[in-house]
Amino acid sequence: MTLTAKAAPSTKQPPSLPAMHTVKLTVNGIETELQLAPWTSLLDALREYMHLTGTKKGCDHGQCGACTVLVNGKRINACLTLAIMQEGNEITTIEGLARKDADGKDGLHPIQQAFMDHDAFQCGYCTPGQICSAVGMMNEGHARTADDIRELMSGNICRCGAYTNIVDAIQSVMNPQPDAA
Ligand code: FES
Ligand code: FES
């Protein structure tokens, strides 16, 4: 016969979940107030709470670059930062780029136009991240050659392998010096 000890009823209260926080995000020039759990990533805030689904979720682990957005002009992976950490910052997604062309008029960003002109995508899933990353890379000002572009864009994976045309598209906007033969 097997004797099993009867567990005494627990007197512990289950841990209570942290309260939702009011988070104010400025996205594409519009300030929005959201009620978010404190662990909500910026990526989930954009996609699930603001319905800005242009920013894509690939790996959700900082490995693919599909979620790249601009924060104060710098590119970041939106899956690796909490929304609550981005209060007070200017967040730009692919939807916001489309409204700010080089002349301040409505229309495509030159990088967006270049991706179309150079056929720099196939399925398009990585494209918003590629474009935001390219804009951030140009803001950084370190890329001069096609090799630089390849290196500095290496955090953005394209499963369709559209890399050649992506580099051509970015180069056409940057107009860097041709590579030494
Ligand atoms: S979804 Fe953020 S890097 Fe892949
Ligand atoms: S165009 Fe399909 S993953 Fe890049």
Side-chain angles (χ1 to χ4, degrees):
M1 192 170 91
T2 309
L3 292 177
T4 51
K6 207 171 178 182
S10 171
T11 54
K12 279 188 185 169
Q13 294 296 317
S16 57
L17 291 173
M20 300 289 264
H21 286 256
T22 301
V23 179
K24 285 183 189 168
L25 294 179
T26 304
V27 181
N28 301 329
I30 299 168
E31 189 175 294
T32 309
E33 209 170 276
L34 303 170
Q35 297 297 317
L36 299 176
W39 56 81
T40 306
S41 71
L42 176 60
L43 176 59
D44 284 344
L46 292 171
R47 288 182 55 85
E48 308 299 332
Y49 293 84
M50 301 183 71
H51 308 297
L52 291 170
T53 53
T55 306
K56 302 302 183 204
K57 183 181 281 191
C59 62
D60 211 17
H61 283 89
Q63 302 289 312
C64 72
C67 65
T68 307
V69 297
L70 299 167
V71 173
N72 299 332
K74 294 184 178 170
R75 52 185 174 163
I76 67 164
N77 290 332
C79 68
L80 289 186
T81 186
L82 299 178
I84 204 166
M85 295 164 66
Q86 299 305 334
E87 282 192 312
N89 290 331
E90 285 284 341
I91 300 155
T92 305
T93 68
I94 191 72
E95 292 91 346
L97 280 182
R99 293 202 302 266
K100 296 176 187 169
D101 73 3
D103 302 323
K105 297 177 191 160
D106 285 350
L108 293 180
H109 187 283
I111 286 281
Q112 288 176 308
Q113 187 62 53
F115 268 60
M116 291 177 65
D117 295 344
H118 289 264
D119 202 17
F121 46 82
Q122 190 171 323
C123 77
Y125 198 82
C126 72
T127 310
Q130 299 278 2
I131 289 173
C132 286
S133 190
V135 173
M137 181 193 69
M138 290 196 302
N139 290 343
E140 291 157 15
H142 301 309
R144 297 284 179 273
T145 66
D147 276 349
D148 293 342
I149 295 170
R150 280 188 276 273
E151 174 66 24
L152 294 169
M153 291 290 295
S154 62
N156 289 80
I157 306 300
C158 176
R159 292 215 174 244
C160 299
Y163 295 112
T164 303
N165 292 8
I166 289 171
V167 172
D168 288 350
I170 297 170
Q171 233 181 345
S172 75
V173 177
M174 287 174 48
N175 195 24
Q177 297 302 309
D179 284 341

